[in-house]
Amino acid sequence: MGREPERITELAQLKAFTHPLRIELYRLLTAARTATASHLAEQAGEAVSLVSYHLRKLAEHGFIEEAAEQGRDGRERWWRISAERSFSFRSADFDGTPEGTAALTGVTRELLATRTRTYLNYLDQQAGWGREWTRAAFSSEYTVRLTAGELQELAEEMGAFVRRWRERAEAAEAREAEAGADRAGAEAGGSAGRETVALHLYGFPFRP
């Protein structure tokens, strides 16, 4: 069984992601594993001072932490996702008050917008990925008749399934590093040809 993501239950934590730049920085840092504010600012197209401010806000709420072992010269902070954890949140923890509902809706909308931009960027750039990756990439939609309880059970099963794949990939990367494959793989953009893959899954009721 893969590691359970840490569940956000405090409104202050959830509201930390109401700013779209923080969502983008968290996503970029997840892919980079470790980075400085300068590195992230270049990727995000924002000022270093602004990025540094938002990184500190994410750190205040425990989402990221300093990667002290990387900052050898002490001139600039290196950051990483806190203990390489992932986070999740549920509507039931925040929909009891107007403020909680507003924060929940705002964060969810920003996440959706960010995910949409990520996929559209891939579509615009897919010619540069090569046939191996474009053939492996997929986009699917399914409709299933479920109860609310069955939908919740499906979400939990899918989460566990993805976590098993994440742990499988992490274990493989560790073996590749021990064998010295990481140096050759880095030239291809990742260890042994690995790339960061975005997997977007949605499940919600609708009436045609």
Side-chain angles (χ1 to χ4, degrees):
M1 177 68 69
R3 294 170 297 179
E4 289 281 348
E6 182 170 329
R7 184 171 167 183
I8 300 172
T9 57
E10 298 295 326
L11 182 58
Q13 272 193 307
L14 182 67
K15 291 173 71 173
F17 279 116
T18 54
H19 196 291
L21 181 55
R22 293 178 194 169
I23 293 176
E24 180 66 14
L25 292 175
Y26 187 86
R27 185 181 299 275
L28 290 172
L29 190 55
T30 299
R33 297 189 177 179
T34 59
T36 65
S38 296
H39 296 151
L40 296 172
E42 183 177 355
Q43 293 180 64
E46 299 287 351
V48 176
S49 58
L50 181 63
V51 168
S52 295
Y53 169 79
H54 287 297
L55 288 173
R56 290 194 300 272
K57 287 298 181 181
L58 289 173
E60 285 178 13
H61 293 283
F63 294 113
I64 68 173
E65 62 189 15
E66 286 193 60
E69 69 281 1
Q70 295 279 24
R72 296 182 181 87
D73 58 12
R75 289 183 296 180
E76 191 169 15
R77 285 180 174 180
W78 284 77
W79 298 95
R80 66 183 170 207
I81 301 301
S82 295
E84 297 187 358
R85 295 178 299 179
S86 59
F87 296 87
S88 68
F89 59 89
R90 293 183 179 177
S91 300
D93 294 323
F94 301 101
D95 60 6
T97 65
E99 185 181 14
T101 299
L104 180 70
T105 301
V107 171
T108 304
R109 283 182 176 276
E110 289 296 342
L111 286 171
L112 177 59
T114 300
R115 291 166 184 164
T116 300
R117 286 195 299 271
T118 301
Y119 188 58
L120 291 176
N121 287 339
Y122 163 73
L123 293 179
D124 290 340
Q125 301 165 8
Q126 60 183 322
W129 281 103
R131 296 181 69 186
E132 181 182 17
W133 282 104
T134 56
R135 286 182 172 182
F138 64 92
S139 175
S140 302
E141 179 179 354
Y142 306 93
T143 56
V144 189
R145 297 280 295 178
L146 300 174
T147 66
E150 288 170 341
L151 178 58
Q152 179 63 47
E153 184 178 354
L154 174 61
E156 293 170 356
E157 288 185 8
M158 292 174 73
F161 179 75
V162 173
R163 289 193 296 274
R164 286 197 298 272
W165 270 90
R166 176 182 290 164
E167 289 200 335
R168 169 178 162 173
E170 290 172 350
E173 278 194 296
R175 291 193 299 270
E176 291 157 7
E178 291 177 0
D182 56 332
R183 181 178 302 173
E187 297 176 1
S191 172
R194 294 182 184 276
E195 298 285 353
T196 301
V197 173
L199 180 61
H200 300 167
L201 304 173
Y202 303 97
F204 56 91
F206 76 100
R207 293 189 177 111

